[in-house]
Amino acid sequence: LGAMPSGESKTVTVEATPTTVETLRLKAEVVGAVFDPTPSLVELETAVSNKEANLSVTLTGTPNPAFLERNITYTATVTNSGPHDATGVTLIYELSPSVEFVSAEPSQGDPCTQAGSQVTCLLGPINSPTDPDSPSGNSAVVNLVVLPKATGQLSHSVSVSSSRFDPTSSDNTAT
């Protein structure tokens, strides 16, 4: 980089072409001939994948309006728009503090578990829409039943994640 006057900055660009699927780690350190009381060391990690799955989630509730001490069923639909299968799909409900958890039934995967205000559903893989051998299509559904314990507006959120890279994570949460 050559000599640098005080306060000056320079940019170095590093381009790399990954050859394997893994976590790419880059460390950069600036060293000079003069003592630096605050040395600069920067580390960056980037996941490298050769497959992606675009997941999205929607959430509906019935009945609406709901009534005190009568069950409400929320239906979360997780869809994989591909282009590859989504693996390790997990759906997490964040429950309103004014409801009591009754049950959660997934259309696939392991039974859902509840701890405090969080319900976790391990849905497993969701196939891509281009998979002709897919018996379940490219979506999964979780029906969550809760009992309202107070009047007023209820607010729940649901989010979905996968072990596969998702290029559009903005549609992975619904309220």
Side-chain angles (χ1 to χ4, degrees), residues 19-80:
T19 57
T20 60
V21 175
E22 62 183 336
T23 300
L24 182 65
R25 291 175 179 85
L26 175 67
K27 287 184 180 183
E29 184 174 12
V30 177
V31 179
V34 178
F35 173 74
D36 185 349
T38 56
S40 298
L41 175 64
V42 178
E43 296 183 38
L44 175 69
E45 289 189 4
T46 301
V48 177
S49 177
N50 62 351
K51 295 186 178 180
E52 64 183 51
N54 184 7
L55 293 178
S56 62
V57 64
T58 60
L59 184 64
T60 59
T62 57
N64 188 3
F67 298 96
L68 188 63
E69 297 291 334
R70 292 192 188 165
N71 286 350
I72 303 171
T73 301
Y74 289 97
T75 301
T77 303
V78 179
T79 303
N80 178 10

Side-chain angles (χ1 to χ4, degrees), residues 90-168:
T90 301
L91 180 111
I92 297 176
Y93 275 103
E94 290 292 339
L95 301 176
S96 169
S98 59
V99 300
E100 179 181 303
F101 173 75
V102 176
S103 67
E105 188 69 35
S107 63
Q108 68 178 54
D110 295 334
C112 299
T113 59
Q114 183 245 340
S117 65
Q118 194 172 78
V119 177
T120 302
C121 304
L122 304 177
L123 300 176
I126 299 179
N127 295 327
S128 80
T130 58
D131 186 347
D133 299 322
S134 172
S136 62
N138 66 320
S139 63
V141 173
V142 177
N143 289 313
L144 173 82
V145 179
V146 297
L147 185 65
K149 299 306 245 175
T151 58
Q153 185 73 27
L154 295 177
S155 178
H156 297 279
S157 68
V158 63
S159 62
V160 65
S161 63
S162 169
S163 56
R164 190 79 78 201
F165 172 73
D166 188 337
T168 313

